[in-house]
Amino acid sequence: MTDPYLRVENVVKKFGPFIALNGVNLEVYPGEVHALLGDNGAGKSTLIKTLAGVHRPTSGQLYIEGKPVDFRNPRDASDAGIGTVYQDLAVNQLMSVTRNFFMGRELKGPLGTLKMDVMDKIAHDEMLKIGIDFSDPTQAVGTMSGGQRQTLAIARAIYFGAKVLILDEPTSALGQKQQMEVLKTVKRVRKRGDIAIIFITHNEIHSQLVADRYTFLALGQVIGAGKAGELSHDEIRRLMAGGAEMKDLEGELAAI
């Protein structure tokens, strides 16, 4: 087994008296999909924002390739190879695929003119690498399917150096066909072998289709973890719902 690219050690995040993360541990390996699951309020959003440099841990430590890091802002996290694709995708539907791909990082010539031909080719080729073939990178993003937009955001993150790709609910609000497009893209990225993927989802079926490892959060704490082959479908559902708390609820319902 290779060493983890990213390691989270005893991370605590407090907002005043509220403890959002309470001693979280996590290891993320290249060439694997690590599903991060939990109900609303479990701490998933706080954790990924901590990994992305939006929040700084109150205590604990993050490591990249075994070396301690301190992300003071999202740029620090990006420079360390953390690429985050949020649910809103950060795309402008009126702009072209290429302009979205290079948003804020445009390639310019000596007189400041944009190298559109070069950028068009890069955008086309990078999306083709992970499974989306389209003939016109000048088309507006608003004409693409939801699954294609997700692929655009993923390809953009990888091209600009992501070694850990954080996908925040990438299949939510999509139809079944588009969900499958996204899951296929995730599997293609995993197949590269050099990128670690953190896959946040509320859909246990989707997690089981792509995940190699699991970590389950509840009330800011890790309540379970394991490899895909070690966890049954029922165990995954139970841990997603909060572990022992779910067992108590099932017992109450069975007694009615």
Side-chain angles (χ1 to χ4, degrees):
M1 181 186 299
T2 60
D3 294 328
Y5 184 83
L6 167 68
R7 181 159 61 91
V8 178
E9 186 176 281
N10 295 324
V11 163
V12 173
K13 179 59 184 177
K14 297 180 180 179
F15 297 97
F18 175 70
I19 302 175
L21 299 175
N22 191 6
V24 171
N25 293 287
L26 181 73
E27 292 185 344
V28 185
Y29 293 83
E32 290 189 350
V33 177
H34 195 129
L36 183 63
L37 299 101
D39 208 346
N40 291 329
K44 301 188 302 299
S45 294
T46 302
L47 177 57
I48 65 173
K49 287 181 179 179
T50 301
L51 300 180
V54 177
H55 300 319
R56 296 179 76 180
T58 304
S59 63
Q61 185 64 58
L62 305 180
Y63 296 86
I64 295 291
E65 295 185 306
K67 298 178 181 179
V69 293
D70 178 19
F71 298 152
R72 294 164 295 176
N73 51 58
R75 174 62 70 182
D76 286 348
S78 178
D79 290 344
I82 307 295
T84 306
V85 178
Y86 294 104
Q87 291 185 50
D88 63 8
L89 302 181
V91 296
N92 185 323
Q93 297 190 34
L94 299 178
M95 294 173 63
S96 71
V97 171
T98 297
R99 293 303 300 271
N100 273 280
F101 192 97
F102 284 94
M103 190 181 298
R105 299 177 177 179
E106 292 82 1
L107 303 180
K108 296 181 180 180
L111 299 178
T113 56
L114 296 179
K115 297 181 177 180
M116 291 307 304
D117 289 345
V118 176
M119 292 192 293
D120 284 344
K121 186 177 189 310
I122 291 173
H124 175 273
D125 291 351
E126 291 301 312
M127 291 186 68
L128 182 60
K129 287 179 183 178
I130 55 175
I132 296 296
D133 186 12
F134 61 97
S135 58
D136 185 11
T138 67
Q139 74 182 81
V141 164
T143 65
M144 302 171 74
S145 71
Q148 289 173 328
R149 294 177 201 174
Q150 280 282 351
T151 300
L152 165 61
I154 291 170
R156 178 176 61 191
I158 293 172
Y159 179 75
F160 286 106
K163 295 298 182 183
V164 175
L165 184 63
I166 303 174
L167 304 179
D168 183 18
E169 298 280 358
T171 58
S172 66
L174 297 179
Q176 185 173 359
K177 183 178 179 180
Q178 295 177 6
Q179 290 173 353
M180 292 310 297
E181 287 180 11
V182 173
L183 295 176
K184 288 177 181 177
T185 297
V186 171
K187 295 183 76 171
R188 290 189 188 101
V189 173
R190 176 180 62 187
K191 193 174 181 180
R192 290 170 48 121
D194 60 338
I195 294 175
I197 302 169
I198 299 177
F199 184 80
I200 296 94
T201 183
H202 278 88
N203 191 314
E204 71 268 17
I205 301 299
H206 291 173
S207 73
Q208 290 178 78
L209 288 172
V210 298
D212 301 292
R213 292 177 186 269
Y214 290 86
T215 293
F216 301 88
L217 293 178
L219 301 177
Q221 300 185 70
V222 174
I223 60 168
K227 296 180 181 178
E230 300 171 348
L231 299 167
S232 68
H233 176 73
D234 288 344
E235 185 72 359
I236 290 171
R237 291 188 64 190
R238 183 180 71 80
L239 288 167
M240 278 191 68
E245 184 176 311
M246 180 63 175
K247 277 188 173 180
D248 294 341
L249 292 174
E250 289 173 345
E252 291 180 17
L253 290 172
I256 295 176

